[in-house]
Amino acid sequence: MVVSETVLAYGPVAPNSVQTKTFTIENKGKADMTGITVSCNNPAFTVTEVQNQTIAVGGEAITVTVTFNTEIAGEQNGTITISATEQDDATIVVSGAVRDANKLYIDFADGMIPSGWTSAAIGSYSSGWTEKTGYVQHSGSYSYNESALQSPKLTFTEGETVFFKTAKYGNYKKLRSEER
């Protein structure tokens, strides 16, 4: 038995979205592979119905679809087990995270500035944010990064709490958040 995947990772996904991935089970043996079953120990992941199936000899394969239930926010982890008569079981580690629908998430996927965001200058310097890099060159004897990304207008109701989660990479960079 040859299984095409060892890990299926759904990553952070939007709630109530359809999330599917596939893998194949292939017979590279010298006889038919019988009694094939596929199951998952976490009900957040459902697999195509594969119960007591057979894969003919000669490299035949079946494709199994795994659907991630995105109705419940939070992280999910599980193991998919593939069994067949007179074969060692194969396993696939499966994981996914569903984002909380009550939170706003902004991704800088592939280093791209999100749609609706703008690059803003700090002080008298011109903005240096470009796709994948952000910098401003000072005309003095040193250079430093001093520019900002500005989000589209966000509206909050009284009593709402706002959190910003940011990451800093490098010793000479600082992160700052301002309300204007």
Side-chain angles (χ1 to χ4, degrees):
M1 171 178 4
V2 176
V3 178
S4 64
E5 306 294 332
T6 57
V7 174
L8 292 176
Y10 289 85
V13 297
N16 301 312
S17 61
V18 176
Q19 301 293 324
T20 61
K21 293 189 179 285
T22 61
F23 66 91
T24 59
I25 306 167
E26 192 173 357
N27 182 1
K28 291 202 173 188
K30 296 179 181 173
D32 289 352
M33 189 168 30
T34 61
I36 302 166
T37 60
V38 179
S39 62
C40 184
N41 66 353
N42 183 334
F45 304 96
T46 56
V47 295
T48 305
E49 184 72 26
V50 179
Q51 296 297 325
N52 203 27
Q53 289 193 356
T54 298
I55 301 176
V57 67
E60 294 290 317
I62 59 173
T63 299
V64 179
T65 301
V66 181
T67 303
F68 180 30
N69 177 354
T70 61
E71 293 177 10
I72 301 170
E75 292 189 24
Q76 298 289 335
N77 297 290
T79 302
I80 296 171
T81 303
I82 303 99
S83 302
T85 305
E86 297 183 19
Q87 301 274 325
D88 291 335
D89 287 354
T91 59
I92 299 173
V93 175
V94 63
S95 64
V98 179
R99 293 179 168 164
D100 186 334
N102 296 312
K103 295 180 180 179
L104 170 68
Y105 295 88
I106 304 297
D107 290 322
F108 291 80
D110 299 322
M112 303 299 285
I113 297 172
S115 176
W117 287 59
T118 57
S119 178
I122 304 294
S124 61
Y125 302 105
S126 62
S127 174
W129 280 96
T130 58
E131 305 298 336
K132 297 193 185 271
T133 62
Y135 68 92
V136 171
Q137 183 74 35
H138 185 269
S139 60
S141 59
Y142 60 91
S143 65
Y144 60 95
N145 295 345
E146 189 73 18
S147 60
L149 288 177
Q150 184 175 351
S151 73
K153 182 179 179 181
L154 303 174
T155 304
F156 304 99
T157 59
E158 186 175 334
E160 282 188 297
T161 304
V162 179
F163 295 97
F164 290 94
K165 182 178 179 182
T166 57
K168 176 176 132 173
Y169 302 100
N171 292 329
Y172 300 104
K173 298 177 183 178
K174 71 179 178 181
L175 298 172
R176 179 173 73 194
S177 166
E178 294 180 10
E179 180 181 336
R180 293 185 184 200

